[in-house]
Amino acid sequence: LALGAVHVQRQADDDELGADLLCHLAYPGGYLVAGLQGDLRGDGCGQKLGAVAGGKATLTRVLGKIRPYSLFVVCSLVVAAVSVGAQLYIPILCGSAIDLMLGKGTVDFGGVMHIIIEVLVVAAAAALAQWLLSVCNNRITFLVSRDLRNEALRKIQTLPLSYLDSHPSGDIVSRMVADVDTFADGLLVGFTQLFSGILTILGTLLFMLSENVPITLVVVCITPLSLVVASFLAKRSYKYFQSQS
């Protein structure tokens, strides 16, 4: 969104119509913030983007675009839970197999073979769930991108010919194609990492609590420290990244 705001502020013309179009098309994030139905007259695109970029308004509009495809979102959550659970369960099975091979001459080959079969089945389930997760997320991303481009095209069709003649057509097309693709890539990665990441954290904590409570408490206490360090670095590097772009 920061890149979108900078891009809009650099590219927006002084005339009201140019600012209106660029606010819709300069960057999908800004496009979502502005909304095709919004009245932009009098405020300026850069001011509107600066007021809400990175805030709840952007997230609300993104969720509004995703809401018609809630079924795919639910399916994505379910298969993500299956995938994460299977991936976390395999190390437990491997540990159980090692426990059956500790003593010399006391290896339980039958038990080990049974665990190996379980690992193969769980790994197959994890692979299938991961494939279904990518299918659901790709479908969500494709449908949202399609809606964005359709709405942008409808917006362009309402503009007078004088504006289209006075601005490079390639620039407008690039905003509809390249920038929406950038937004789609971010949405796809965000969905995949968000669902899998949250479920992995929760599942890991549950498995750790079932195995060893003290170690789990140590990890829980140390994790906030790493988050503080990451937040510190992100805040310091953000302004440099924004100035570079």
Side-chain angles (χ1 to χ4, degrees):
L1 290 176
L3 289 173
V6 171
H7 189 52
V8 168
Q9 291 171 353
R10 288 178 179 175
Q11 297 293 330
D13 295 275
D14 294 333
D15 60 286
E16 179 181 345
L17 186 58
D20 178 65
L21 176 65
L22 290 176
C23 195
H24 287 303
L25 302 179
Y27 187 72
Y31 165 79
L32 287 171
V33 171
L36 286 171
Q37 292 79 22
D39 184 10
L40 304 176
R41 303 265 184 320
D43 291 333
C45 175
Q47 294 178 354
K48 280 188 173 291
L49 280 177
V52 298
K56 294 182 179 179
T58 302
L59 180 61
T60 300
R61 290 188 177 274
V62 172
L63 293 177
K65 296 294 181 182
I66 299 173
R67 188 173 295 112
Y69 314 110
S70 301
L71 178 60
F72 289 105
V73 176
V74 174
C75 293
S76 180
L77 282 171
V78 172
V79 295
V82 174
S83 175
V84 170
Q87 294 176 28
L88 294 176
Y89 187 52
I90 289 178
I92 295 179
L93 293 175
C94 293
S96 300
I98 293 174
D99 292 339
L100 299 177
M101 299 183 291
L102 293 179
K104 182 178 180 180
T106 60
V107 178
D108 186 358
F109 290 100
V112 172
M113 183 58 63
H114 179 73
I115 292 177
I116 291 176
I117 295 175
E118 285 189 41
V119 170
L120 294 176
V121 173
V122 173
L128 177 61
Q130 191 67 31
W131 177 76
L132 292 175
L133 177 63
S134 64
V135 170
C136 293
N137 291 339
N138 281 323
R139 189 64 179 171
I140 295 172
T141 302
F142 167 76
L143 293 173
V144 173
S145 301
R146 181 199 62 186
D147 293 344
L148 285 175
R149 289 195 175 99
N150 288 339
E151 293 186 26
L153 183 60
R154 286 194 294 269
K155 175 63 181 180
I156 291 176
Q157 291 174 343
T158 63
L159 297 174
L161 292 177
S162 59
Y163 176 82
L164 299 177
D165 289 339
S166 60
H167 292 78
S169 58
D171 186 50
I172 299 175
V173 173
S174 176
R175 300 180 197 281
M176 291 184 59
V177 176
D179 291 350
V180 174
D181 283 341
T182 301
F183 171 77
D185 292 340
L187 189 64
L188 178 61
V189 174
F191 264 112
T192 304
Q193 293 184 349
L194 177 65
F195 295 162
S196 300
I198 293 177
L199 293 174
T200 299
I201 293 174
L202 295 178
T204 302
L205 289 177
L206 291 176
F207 280 121
M208 290 179 64
L209 286 173
S210 64
E211 295 294 329
N212 194 310
V213 176
I215 294 180
T216 304
L217 295 178
V218 171
V219 173
V220 171
C221 293
I222 294 177
T223 300
L225 179 61
S226 64
L227 295 177
V228 171
V229 174
S231 176
F232 175 81
L233 294 176
K235 290 179 180 179
R236 296 301 185 277
S237 61
Y238 172 77
K239 58 181 181 181
Y240 299 108
F241 177 76
Q242 186 178 17
S243 61
Q244 182 182 12
S245 62

